[in-house]
């Protein structure tokens, strides 16, 4: 299995621009999570999906952030407009409970820098 | 909301030494997970614990699910340089959609 695949690995953008981060979960996994990691706040859960349905988005910082999961094999996290304080590493993770797998598997992350 | 505090925040140890770190929660979890994160990578699952009092090993790693269900411990025996990284605990509630909450992390440095 290829694992969780995120793209791009690095993104540098100017303040005010739209940023879209992409994630392909492990095939067959039915839960998908978006996390943000910073030195100050550690790993924060932004949103998670179960069977493509958003279950809890209470961690999404504000309306500038949105996430979608149009099908079981793809999810996006969008920031519009981006701000310098959005600079962080964004991780996507997936989990397949029905396989008895209680741990989430993480992608390599997207390092976002907003200048 | 739930908070997971890990201690110590960071530690320097000599190669060959044993390491202990712990994680405490303000509320109960049904599953405890331990992850390791290498620089520039995502966290990787090391051990999962499913029952209070459970003790589980994975090579040189041993983790325990606290009896109160509010804490967990991770021990690394005979540390080696590749043990360097950040170790995260994570708590998960069973039932429903099983949201995972991560701890603050313990940064481990191993001196060869």
């Amino acid at each position: 299995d290829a694992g969780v695949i995120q793209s791009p690995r690095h993104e540098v953008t100017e303040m005010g621009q739209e940023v879209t981060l992409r994630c392909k979960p492990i095939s067959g996994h039915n839960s998908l999570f978006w996390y943000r990691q910073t030195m100050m706040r550690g790993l924060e859960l932004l949103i998670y999906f179960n069977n493509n349905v958003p279950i809890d988005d209470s961690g999404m910082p504000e309306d500038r952030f949105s996430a979608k999961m149009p099908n079981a094999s793809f999810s996006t996290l969008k920031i519009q407009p981006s701000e310098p304080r959005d600079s962080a590493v964004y991780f996507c993770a997936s989990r397949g409970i029905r396989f008895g797998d209680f741990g989430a598997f993480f992608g390599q992350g997207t390092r976002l820098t907003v200048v | 909301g739930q908070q997971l505090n890990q201690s110590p925040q960071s530690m320097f140890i000599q190669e060959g030494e044993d390491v202990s770190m712990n994680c405490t929660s303000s509320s109960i979890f049904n599953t405890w997970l331990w992850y390791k994160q290498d620089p520039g990578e995502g966290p990787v699952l090391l051990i999962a614990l499913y029952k209070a009092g459970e003790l589980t090993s994975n090579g040189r790693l041993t983790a325990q699910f606290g009896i109160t269900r509010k804490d967990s411990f991770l021990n690394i025996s005979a540390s080696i340089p590749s043990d360097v990284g950040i170790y995260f605990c994570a708590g998960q509630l069973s039932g429903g959609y099983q949201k995972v909450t991560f701890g603050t992390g313990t940064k481990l440095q191993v001196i060869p």
Side-chain angles (χ1 to χ4, degrees):
Chain A
D1 198 316
V4 176
I5 299 172
Q6 291 186 247
S7 63
R9 286 295 309 275
H10 302 274
E11 176 83 28
V12 180
T13 191
E14 289 186 346
M15 182 173 65
Q17 296 297 307
E18 177 180 296
V19 175
T20 299
L21 311 181
R22 296 173 176 79
C23 175
K24 177 176 166 46
I26 292 173
S27 176
H29 280 189
N30 61 336
S31 295
L32 183 139
F33 306 82
W34 281 101
Y35 287 89
R36 177 172 67 177
Q37 186 176 38
T38 61
M39 289 292 292
M40 292 297 294
R41 296 181 174 221
L43 267 168
E44 301 175 275
L45 177 64
L46 300 177
I47 185 172
Y48 76 100
F49 296 83
N50 196 64
N51 293 325
N52 311 339
V53 176
I55 301 302
D56 184 346
D57 64 355
S58 59
M60 296 286 259
E62 47 200 271
D63 291 346
R64 298 184 297 106
F65 285 69
S66 62
K68 292 182 180 179
M69 192 164 186
N71 57 61
S73 59
F74 184 65
S75 178
T76 59
L77 178 68
K78 186 177 293 186
I79 309 172
Q80 165 63 18
S82 57
E83 296 182 4
R85 62 191 166 120
D86 300 332
S87 299
V89 181
Y90 291 81
F91 287 104
C92 174
S94 71
R95 183 180 65 196
I97 294 298
R98 65 176 177 271
F99 298 123
D101 181 0
F102 287 84
F105 289 79
F106 282 74
Q108 291 185 299
T110 295
R111 181 174 293 277
L112 174 64
T113 304
V114 183
V115 298
Chain B
Q2 295 156 333
Q3 290 185 332
L4 295 182
N5 295 309
Q6 286 186 244
S7 65
Q9 283 189 326
S10 64
M11 53 197 312
F12 285 82
I13 59 166
Q14 205 74 36
E15 182 178 356
E17 287 183 347
D18 296 343
V19 175
S20 290
M21 57 189 80
N22 64 37
C23 183
T24 57
S25 168
S26 56
S27 55
I28 288 171
F29 287 108
N30 300 112
T31 300
W32 283 94
L33 307 164
W34 284 93
Y35 286 83
K36 182 193 176 202
Q37 185 177 24
D38 290 328
E41 301 291 332
V44 173
L45 182 65
L46 298 173
I47 289 180
L49 301 156
Y50 305 115
K51 205 163 57 171
E54 179 181 356
L55 187 72
T56 296
S57 293
N58 178 6
R60 293 178 296 106
L61 277 60
T62 302
Q64 184 159 26
F65 192 143
I67 285 290
T68 66
R69 293 161 64 194
K70 290 185 177 183
D71 57 9
S72 181
F73 305 87
L74 177 69
N75 295 315
I76 305 173
S77 63
S79 59
I80 59 178
S82 61
D83 290 334
V84 164
I86 302 177
Y87 291 80
F88 290 99
C89 64
Q92 183 170 290
L93 291 170
S94 60
Y97 297 105
Q98 307 193 15
K99 178 177 173 177
V100 178
T101 302
F102 276 81
T104 49
T106 293
K107 186 173 184 178
L108 177 64
Q109 310 258 37
V110 179
I111 303 166

